[in-house]
Amino acid sequence: MRVFVTGASGFIGSAVVRRLQGAGHQVVGLARSDESAAVLDNAGVEVCRGSLEDLECLAKGATASDGVIHLAYNHDFVDMAAAAEDDLRAVNAMGEVLAGTDKPLVIASGTLGLVFGFSTPLGRTGTEDDVPDLAAPRINSERALATLAERGVRTSSVRLSPSVHGEGDHGFIPRLITIAREKGIAAYVGEGANRWPAVHRLDAAELFRLALESGPAGSRWHGVGDEGVAFRTIAETIAGHLGLQAISVTPEEASDHFGFLGLLVQLDNPTSSALTQERLHWRPQHPGLIDDLDEGHYFAN
């Protein structure tokens, strides 16, 4: 297949590209900058210059492909609503030109939508069959996929864990390590019993490939290796590697200590991938979050 990939030069996207190439697919990657274009070119990826705001470019890339994997996203914690609207426009622009073709359109979403997207808390481990009833980041893009599926697009949503980890990670875990170094303690909120799911980026990459190749229209998949790692365990592991203490802070102190992560570090987001593993025959093969931290590469610098 000729596959158009947005976010192809990113942490997750670069792993997806290699997995697609290894399976014999030809990859075309969206590149916003000269630096990204050079990275893609060196990886043997055909470059399509443009951005998420250039809907004509996105439509052209999708039209010339046999399938699309949409990974790019503006992770703007200042205006998350605007970022979600941009993503929805991008999904609809690519989906519109794929209508009636039965070609795959696979997008990245997040398990945190199962926390923010319900009028009342789930109170249990989230599953792939859960459909949020409220607007939340990326949830409207998931809803758009349902409409596109009815119009002849083979849509899939891959809900990724808040921690997609591995060498080269520049997401939440490295930020927590930086905060611990700056503050001199590794903190957790309250008892730290709230849980974060996690997945290794190489396992996530394989999931995107499987969804592209065989995911049925309207499907939802969970990129989850660890169903839920207690946040206190994460803090204690970071503390052990940095030679610091792991200390509890109150919910009122969380924003001052963690900055923009003050709310996220308190979320309880236990999430299952049992249905994904059963229905798509996907099996996480790489280290879980704590084992990955214990390998030491997160603390090399």
Side-chain angles (χ1 to χ4, degrees), residues 111-201:
T111 65
L112 287 177
L114 301 179
V115 178
F116 293 114
F118 286 92
S119 51
T120 57
L122 280 176
R124 57 169 172 77
T125 299
T127 77
E128 295 85 340
D129 288 341
D130 289 320
V131 181
D133 57 3
L134 299 176
R138 287 184 163 175
I139 292 302
N140 283 341
S141 293
E142 275 199 11
R143 290 174 177 159
L145 293 189
T147 300
L148 291 169
E150 295 174 355
R151 299 180 59 202
V153 185
R154 187 160 58 80
T155 59
S156 286
S157 173
V158 176
R159 293 170 176 168
L160 291 170
S161 303
S163 175
V164 180
H165 57 89
E167 291 198 53
D169 182 7
H170 51 267
F172 291 139
I173 296 299
R175 181 58 189 157
L176 292 175
I177 293 170
T178 296
I179 292 170
R181 283 187 165 125
E182 292 173 348
K183 302 287 186 176
I185 60 170
Y188 53 91
V189 179
E191 295 182 357
N194 61 297
R195 295 152 292 178
W196 273 15
V199 66
H200 196 284
R201 73 161 179 153

Side-chain angles (χ1 to χ4, degrees), residues 173 176-177 180-181 185-188 192 226 229-247 288-299:
I173 296 299
L176 292 175
I177 293 170
R181 283 187 165 125
I185 60 170
Y188 53 91
D226 297 311
V229 183
F231 197 84
R232 178 171 180 165
T233 302
I234 297 173
E236 289 175 341
T237 303
I238 291 172
H241 281 273
L242 296 180
L244 303 174
Q245 286 185 301
I247 296 177
L289 175 58
I290 299 305
D291 286 343
D292 202 9
L293 285 169
D294 284 340
E295 288 186 0
H297 56 84
Y298 274 97
F299 307 95

Side-chain angles (χ1 to χ4, degrees), residues 26-178:
Q26 177 187 359
V27 181
V28 180
L30 182 71
R32 182 176 59 183
S33 66
D34 291 341
E35 180 181 4
S36 293
V39 169
L40 295 179
D41 185 62
N42 289 337
V45 175
E46 182 180 334
V47 176
C48 177
R49 288 301 299 264
S51 69
L52 283 183
E53 292 75 28
D54 188 346
L55 301 184
E56 183 178 346
C57 172
L58 296 178
K60 186 180 297 184
T63 299
S65 73
D66 299 309
V68 175
I69 295 180
H70 173 50
L71 300 170
Y73 194 83
N74 177 17
H75 293 280
D76 187 349
F77 288 94
V78 176
D79 194 346
M80 291 189 290
E85 290 171 4
D86 287 344
D87 187 66
L88 178 59
R89 282 191 288 268
V91 169
N92 281 329
M94 293 183 286
E96 184 66 33
V97 299
L98 296 178
T101 66
D102 197 37
K103 292 179 180 180
L105 169 60
V106 183
I107 75 166
S109 183
T111 65
L112 287 177
L114 301 179
V115 178
F116 293 114
F118 286 92
S119 51
T120 57
L122 280 176
R124 57 169 172 77
T125 299
T127 77
E128 295 85 340
D129 288 341
D130 289 320
V131 181
D133 57 3
L134 299 176
R138 287 184 163 175
I139 292 302
N140 283 341
S141 293
E142 275 199 11
R143 290 174 177 159
L145 293 189
T147 300
L148 291 169
E150 295 174 355
R151 299 180 59 202
V153 185
R154 187 160 58 80
T155 59
S156 286
S157 173
V158 176
R159 293 170 176 168
L160 291 170
S161 303
S163 175
V164 180
H165 57 89
E167 291 198 53
D169 182 7
H170 51 267
F172 291 139
I173 296 299
R175 181 58 189 157
L176 292 175
I177 293 170
T178 296

